[in-house]
Amino acid sequence: MIFSRKKVVLSFVIAFFIQPIIGAVLGLDNFGPNIILCLATFLLLMYYDSPFIWGSALITGIAYDICYSSAVGVATCGIIACMLCILIIRHFLYLDNIWVVPILTGVDTIVFGIVTYLISSSQGAIYSVLYLLRYMAGDLIGNGIALFIMFIIFKKYLVKHKNDAKLYT
């Protein structure tokens, strides 16, 4: 395992502080890469059987909601929903293929957007579906770039499991 528990915690702490800075530095208004979501997805893809990654993502999501969000638990539920989807679809993906990145980006961004929209709407927020779609393209691009960078840097460390699709082609 390339990421020890200390490195996983450090990665999530860095993502926690980088997340609000990216939008401010790049001048992005409510859209762009969700670094915490991308990191949780990528680490789960690498080590799907590690409960420590689930716990770290959950704690980081709650801390992010408390510090930067108007409602606690909305983004955390979105991250957990995305991680559950990754657990389901990871067995159908060939992890060495670069086309994994757009698939993961699409699944993550769409599931996260829908879950956070549904939870926010059920709590009385006045968001419309058009508001969700308005920022979806920017989120897709930002998350895609973040996941692509993570994939390129750590591709050689991806752990292949016997249940992964097409291990040997």
Side-chain angles (χ1 to χ4, degrees), residues 7-19:
K7 289 180 182 176
V8 169
V9 169
L10 181 63
S11 299
F12 276 108
V13 167
I14 291 170
F16 175 79
F17 288 111
I18 287 179
Q19 180 71 37

Side-chain angles (χ1 to χ4, degrees), residues 13 15-21 30 36 60-72 75:
V13 167
F16 175 79
F17 288 111
I18 287 179
Q19 180 71 37
I21 293 172
N30 292 331
I36 298 170
T60 307
I62 290 172
Y64 186 83
D65 281 345
I66 290 171
C67 293
Y68 302 113
S69 182
S70 59
V72 176

